[in-house]
Amino acid sequence: MKTKELKEKFSTLHKKYEIFAPVRREKRLKTGYINTMSCVEFTAEIPEYSYKEAFFPSRQTMFKYKGEKFTKEGSLKREQVVLGMGLADLRALELYKRVFAEDEYFQNRIEKSVVVGFGKSPLSREALAVLPFDLFITQEEDESYKFLSRTDRGSKLAQELALEISEDIEESKKDEPFPVSDFYQQIKSNMEGDKAAKVFEDLGQKCIECGKCTMVCPTCFCFRIDDEQGFEEDEGTRKRVWDSCYYHEFSEVAGGHRFLDTTKDRIKFWYYHKFARIPNEYKMLGCVSCGRCTKTCPAGINLEENLKNIFDSSKEEGNKK
Amino acid sequence: MPKKQYKTEEIVLSKKSKLTEQAYLYTFKFKDPKKKLKFTPGQFVMLSFAGVGEAPISVASSSREASNTFELAVQNVGVLTEYLKNCPVGKVLGIRGPYGHGWPVDKIKGENLIVIAGGCGLAPFRALIKYLVEEKDYAKKIQLLYGAKDSQNMFFKKEYQDWAEVVETHFALDTKDQEVKGCVSLDEGLVTNLLEKDYVERDAYAHVCGPPIMAKFVIEKLLELGYDEEKIFVTLERRMECGFGVCQHCAIGPYYVCKDGPVFCYKKLKSIPGIIEVGT
Ligand SMILES: Cc1cc2nc3c(=O)[nH]c(=O)nc-3n(C[C@H](O)[C@H](O)[C@H](O)COP(=O)(O)OP(=O)(O)OC[C@H]3O[C@@H](n4cnc5c(N)ncnc54)[C@H](O)[C@@H]3O)c2cc1C
Ligand code: SF4
Ligand code: SF4
């Protein structure tokens, strides 16, 4: 099966499902809800935006109120197919599944989603078995496509679209499927011991706190809860909206006191969350190495470089002694 | 299994009484007569005002029995608290919770306790003090050291006499404008100065709540006076959005103030840079 045929196979999808997929607009690959398959691109390229909007919307209405009457919102009306998630983005989805395990809004969306992964062969079956997809499309070396199914939902979708499953992937039963490597263990311990003060001193000078890295990051999930009044004084909505720990209001309490008071404090908070707090809490790393943050940063801040410096910071301290 | 983490219960404002120019004690009732609030002293709820937002507030009533009515003592400092102040009795609001870990009530059984509070920092102690007053012989000796700007800014002024049988109360006012009933001593100056007095028990648990700068000086003084860091507990204020350890606003090092706190043992906090830096 070639690309044209693949697209044709998926062309009836929108009749039954909402579709969230990568699309190219003015040369830039983005993600979003779409209503025609014609603009969708099947590619292993990592889109600028992640897939988090499909599971954890940037503005999630929680409830509406009118006078004293409250109506719960936030259930998807139709099922959705989330198309084309690569390995890194699937790993980020696994983290969200742990973070939002008890969250009714996230769980509602997951229950109504068919997750379709995409990757270039060869792919290790062991690596695939731990990722939370239903159906997976592999692009073979001869540019043809194969379909792997991991769940009943995946098989059902394949049946609906008349796709031939070439292989079933068995769900991994491993207890800790995402072990944190020695390199990242060292980073974690340096963050916990506040060893990289110098690195953050420098970053604090460079970062302009635009928050773009947190918006494009597939694992960032900080949020805020906002009320919005409607046209009438007694009606409105409560929304859960993406927040960014880079914004100075993030830690502000009444009276204007900020517990994370400087750019340096806030950027450190971000690294601490991804590389120390998340591994402690959820037994996996809070970064899936997708490279989006580095690519998007207007100040040229490079994650990989910083990680190397944080890693080295304990050695430098050792030399000083 | 998804839980209804944000499920907000409707409550009705049934009474307001003035504490200071800027603070009220609010009595609420669940709209559903079968609903009861079960909590421990020092835990908080998210108070919800549709169209305005939510705010974390410690429960101020007695925790001894779960009850359909409960009280919150709130200082007027911003948008939501101002709305609350202007709320008529009968208005329907919401709460979710209770959340967090409060004062270590089990630990102080049969022990001495000093409670050190500044300004509206007495609010999170009212539930504990009420509990100790109702359970008369629960702790050994209980001393309250309370600091405020002047007598006009003291919380729960009408209640000190009721507490007196169980709680030995000492006050420190920036300006000693008038006498206050129900206390053993009333000094001018900072609450940290009271800690040095001979009457203060040295072999005791110390519970602290007040503005960050006060908490820092109090803990410094306590350590200097030889209090055991395992017996010093402090409640922290942070911005909170969810209340159960997901939104990240209240994260400090490996902990969440909402979930692992708001009351922490000092020993746990001292290893986290920038939380309470003693001696800086
Ligand atoms: C565990 C805990 C217990 C508390 N108990 C009490 C109490 O018993 N009595 C009392 O008077 N106050 C208490 N506070 C402080 C109270 O939460 C704030 O004064 C209140 O949120 C201010 O809201 P506002 O809208 O009036 O202020 P504004 O300055 O207008 O708004 C503050 C903004 O910050 C947000 N915010 C989130 N968390 C906080 C926070 N902790 N402090 C301030 N703003 C916050 C609000 O949602 C709002 O968006 C407690 C705080 C915490 C963390
Ligand atoms: S590489 Fe950057 S954007 Fe990607 S997961 Fe890691 S921190 Fe987030
Ligand atoms: S994208 Fe770069 S400049 Fe913007 S907040 Fe992130 S690190 Fe700072």
Side-chain angles (χ1 to χ4, degrees), chain B residues 6-156:
Chain B
Y6 297 95
K7 186 158 196 305
T8 302
E9 295 295 340
E10 286 180 294
I11 54 171
V12 184
L13 178 60
S14 59
K15 199 174 144 201
K16 267 164 94 170
S17 49
K18 203 168 180 169
L19 293 172
T20 71
E21 266 316 305
Q22 289 303 328
Y24 282 82
L25 183 69
Y26 301 89
T27 309
F28 291 101
K29 254 195 202 120
F30 284 101
K31 214 170 168 185
D32 176 353
K34 289 192 296 281
K35 277 260 140 50
K36 286 183 171 155
L37 188 66
K38 190 171 180 294
F39 67 99
T40 61
Q43 278 194 308
F44 67 95
V45 291
M46 290 301 276
L47 179 66
S48 157
F49 200 122
V52 183
E54 296 181 298
I57 305 290
S58 320
V59 189
S61 39
S62 168
S63 62
R64 220 158 60 131
E65 270 171 43
S67 162
N68 182 257
T69 50
F70 61 91
E71 293 163 323
L72 305 177
V74 182
Q75 173 91 352
N76 179 19
V77 291
V79 181
L80 187 136
T81 47
E82 175 73 19
Y83 266 93
L84 189 62
K85 189 181 154 208
N86 298 326
C87 247
V89 165
K91 167 91 186 167
V92 177
L93 284 87
I95 59 157
R96 51 189 180 87
Y99 296 118
H101 287 83
W103 303 107
V105 179
D106 293 343
K107 287 207 163 87
I108 57 171
K109 195 172 167 89
E111 303 277 340
N112 295 321
L113 170 69
I114 52 173
V115 168
I116 309 141
C120 51
L122 192 56
F125 280 125
R126 188 166 176 265
L128 178 68
I129 293 173
K130 282 184 115 22
Y131 181 89
L132 295 171
V133 168
E134 284 164 17
E135 293 266 327
K136 236 177 173 172
D137 295 317
Y138 187 84
K140 211 149 83 191
K141 184 165 188 179
I142 304 160
Q143 295 178 310
L144 167 65
L145 313 181
Y146 181 35
K149 231 182 351 205
D150 51 36
S151 72
Q152 305 306 313
N153 280 287
M154 296 178 82
F155 270 48
F156 315 126

Side-chain angles (χ1 to χ4, degrees), chain A residues 19-63:
Chain A
I19 309 169
F20 192 95
V23 283
R24 199 170 297 274
R25 293 208 176 101
E26 288 155 11
K27 293 198 180 147
R28 296 165 69 175
L29 191 66
K30 301 193 173 176
T31 52
Y33 284 102
I34 50 158
N35 37 33
T36 154
M37 279 299 289
S38 60
C39 56
V40 171
E41 208 166 298
F42 288 95
T43 170
E45 183 184 328
I46 291 176
E48 272 178 52
Y49 299 159
S50 82
Y51 289 80
K52 64 182 172 184
E53 180 76 41
F55 305 103
F56 172 58
S58 46
R59 301 185 74 73
Q60 165 81 67
T61 303
M62 305 168 81
F63 63 74

Side-chain angles (χ1 to χ4, degrees), chain A residues 226-288:
Chain A
D226 282 356
D227 280 23
E228 276 173 17
Q229 223 162 48
F231 291 116
E232 303 287 333
E233 205 192 322
D234 71 338
E235 64 171 27
T237 54
R238 178 163 294 166
K239 291 198 168 77
R240 176 163 78 181
V241 305
W242 292 356
D243 206 348
S244 170
C245 61
Y246 283 74
Y247 297 158
H248 62 83
E249 306 90 339
F250 186 80
S251 65
E252 190 172 302
V253 295
H257 186 80
R258 291 176 197 147
F259 292 93
L260 301 169
D261 200 27
T262 61
T263 316
K264 176 192 78 183
D265 292 342
R266 294 190 281 274
I267 201 160
K268 190 157 85 183
F269 184 91
W270 190 81
Y271 278 84
Y272 190 103
H273 185 213
K274 293 206 171 334
F275 300 102
R277 205 179 305 123
I278 289 179
N280 277 331
E281 237 182 311
Y282 299 110
K283 307 282 171 264
M284 64 187 286
L285 213 57
C287 167
V288 297

Side-chain angles (χ1 to χ4, degrees), chain A residues 53-155:
Chain A
E53 180 76 41
F55 305 103
F56 172 58
S58 46
R59 301 185 74 73
Q60 165 81 67
T61 303
M62 305 168 81
F63 63 74
K64 275 192 197 150
Y65 68 91
K66 168 112 186 100
E68 285 178 7
K69 194 175 175 304
F70 289 80
T71 326
K72 192 178 165 275
E73 293 273 305
S75 329
L76 278 184
K77 293 188 182 65
R78 298 210 308 164
E79 284 186 58
Q80 63 177 11
V81 171
V82 183
L83 206 56
M85 293 181 75
L87 303 186
D89 283 316
L90 285 169
R91 205 138 42 95
L93 178 59
E94 173 60 27
L95 175 66
Y96 274 21
K97 284 189 143 182
R98 298 180 188 192
V99 172
F100 295 112
E102 292 179 351
D103 187 272
E104 56 190 299
Y105 300 98
F106 177 84
Q107 292 300 332
N108 171 273
R109 296 184 87 91
I110 277 286
E111 274 157 28
K112 291 190 176 161
S113 299
V114 191
V115 176
V116 182
F118 185 91
K120 268 197 162 136
S121 272
L123 290 165
S124 123
R125 295 305 184 249
E126 221 181 22
L128 284 178
V130 295
L131 295 172
F133 62 85
D134 297 300
L135 190 69
F136 199 95
I137 307 172
T138 61
Q139 187 174 32
E140 300 302 312
E141 271 140 44
D142 63 357
E143 303 280 300
S144 70
Y145 298 98
K146 279 193 175 150
F147 304 95
L148 320 178
S149 168
R150 186 168 165 272
T151 64
D152 292 344
R153 234 180 265 193
S155 319

